[in-house]
Amino acid sequence: MLPSVHDTGAGEVVLLLHAFTLDASQWDHQVAALSGDMRCVRVDVWGCGASPPPPADEPSLDGFAASVLAALDSRHIDRVALVGLSMGGYLAFALWRLAPERIRALVLCNTRAAADAEGPRDDRLAMAETVERDQSVESIVEPMVARLLSRRAQAEAHVVDPVRGRIRRCTPAGIAYAQRAMAARPDSTGLLASINVPTLVIAGTQDAIIPAPEGRAMAGRIPGARYAELDCGHLSNLEIPRAFNRQLADFLAPAKMAS
Ligand code: MLT
């Protein structure tokens, strides 16, 4: 089974992996900015956006990452510049573990390499049970909005309303799968020193889920990584797309992609 793929533009491929409770449309601003020069490939995680429901296997980010590789194979795509935000970053680490030769550059946004501590892991499992029991994601919409967006962005209808819409489009099965898969993910801290492709780490000064100092420390452990701190919450790419796109386009410019 393959996840749904949105494939826009032509040129070098940039693969964009979305955050938890969102879908590929999280990257609309980036696709609008980049797809004149690059081929922007986005996937929806199982049960979110246009992807099929999750498989019956044990929830696993490595499992989903393998299906992303299969989707790339089906389109004859070999190497990509990989951009992952939060859960998309956890998936980027899974892809680095599985197939580093497929990654020519890495952008890690509002994400962390560490696995969950026990408390947050229990919270994930509790959310998975709640949405399955309710057969609805409604109870998580406002709590997720409050975590995902800065206060400033929460007051901006053009930012917050589409985020609510995306959360509501996720199915309970998709939310439960993603939470269990994130809860089970291994610690990727040991991988950081092995990253030998150009890397940009982006953090948000008002990120309530992954504080900026964690992003800075992670960048410090990746050889040669560039670090950018933006004035925004967790969903940096859709809170302040112009500033985000400037960082991304500058980093992805072919001259900077020597490897
Ligand atoms: C995300 O934005 O992908 C998630 O909130 C990350 C997480 O729950 O660790």
Side-chain angles (χ1 to χ4, degrees):
M1 180 167 72
L2 296 180
S4 75
V5 176
H6 311 259
D7 195 340
T8 316
E12 297 277 3
V13 177
V14 57
L15 172 65
L16 300 142
L17 298 175
H18 68 81
F20 173 62
T21 67
L22 284 100
D23 59 45
S25 70
Q26 171 183 349
W27 299 108
D28 283 351
H29 292 297
Q30 286 65 49
V31 173
L34 295 175
S35 58
D37 303 315
M38 300 190 80
R39 181 174 175 188
C40 298
V41 174
R42 299 177 278 176
V43 296
D44 294 310
V45 167
W46 303 133
C48 295
S51 265
D57 337 340
E58 194 65 30
S60 139
L61 292 182
D62 283 6
F64 186 73
S67 76
V68 171
L69 291 174
L72 295 179
D73 290 344
S74 75
R75 283 161 194 262
H76 309 290
I77 294 169
D78 181 17
R79 300 186 83 212
V80 301
L82 175 52
V83 183
L85 192 142
S86 198
M87 179 177 73
Y90 309 158
L91 281 166
F93 289 124
L95 284 162
W96 183 260
R97 237 187 327 271
L98 289 176
E101 72 285 356
R102 308 285 295 265
I103 300 172
R104 64 186 178 84
L106 200 48
V107 184
L108 298 167
C109 319
N110 307 84
T111 197
R112 60 163 59 101
D116 289 338
E118 206 172 310
R121 192 177 297 134
D122 291 346
D123 293 344
R124 289 192 194 283
L125 301 179
M127 186 193 286
E129 279 178 25
T130 300
V131 295
E132 278 182 339
R133 184 198 59 216
D134 296 351
Q135 279 306 295
S136 163
V137 302
E138 202 49 42
S139 65
I140 71 168
V141 174
E142 294 311 322
M144 282 307 299
V145 162
R147 278 163 53 82
L148 291 169
L149 296 174
S150 67
R151 282 185 179 280
R152 183 187 59 214
Q154 287 176 49
E156 291 178 19
H158 73 281
V159 177
V160 74
D161 287 350
V163 170
R164 288 195 178 99
R166 290 173 178 119
I167 300 171
R168 290 192 169 110
R169 273 203 306 276
C170 292
T171 62
I175 295 295
Y177 184 97
Q179 282 290 45
R180 290 183 179 126
M182 287 192 286
R185 75 189 192 281
D187 193 322
S188 294
T189 310
L191 290 182
L192 298 176
S194 75
I195 296 176
N196 57 359
V197 295
T199 299
L200 168 65
V201 174
I202 294 179
T205 51
Q206 297 148 65
D207 189 331
I209 298 179
I210 301 179
E214 257 196 76
R216 179 187 292 275
M218 183 174 76
R221 301 177 78 155
I222 301 173
R226 188 194 296 191
Y227 175 69
E229 206 165 277
L230 302 179
D231 173 24
C232 59
H234 190 61
L235 298 180
S236 53
N237 76 304
L238 56 73
E239 269 198 25
I240 49 167
R242 272 167 60 90
F244 184 97
N245 289 353
R246 221 174 290 128
Q247 292 291 338
L248 189 58
D250 185 40
F251 174 73
L252 292 175
K256 304 224 163 55
M257 307 270 303
S259 83

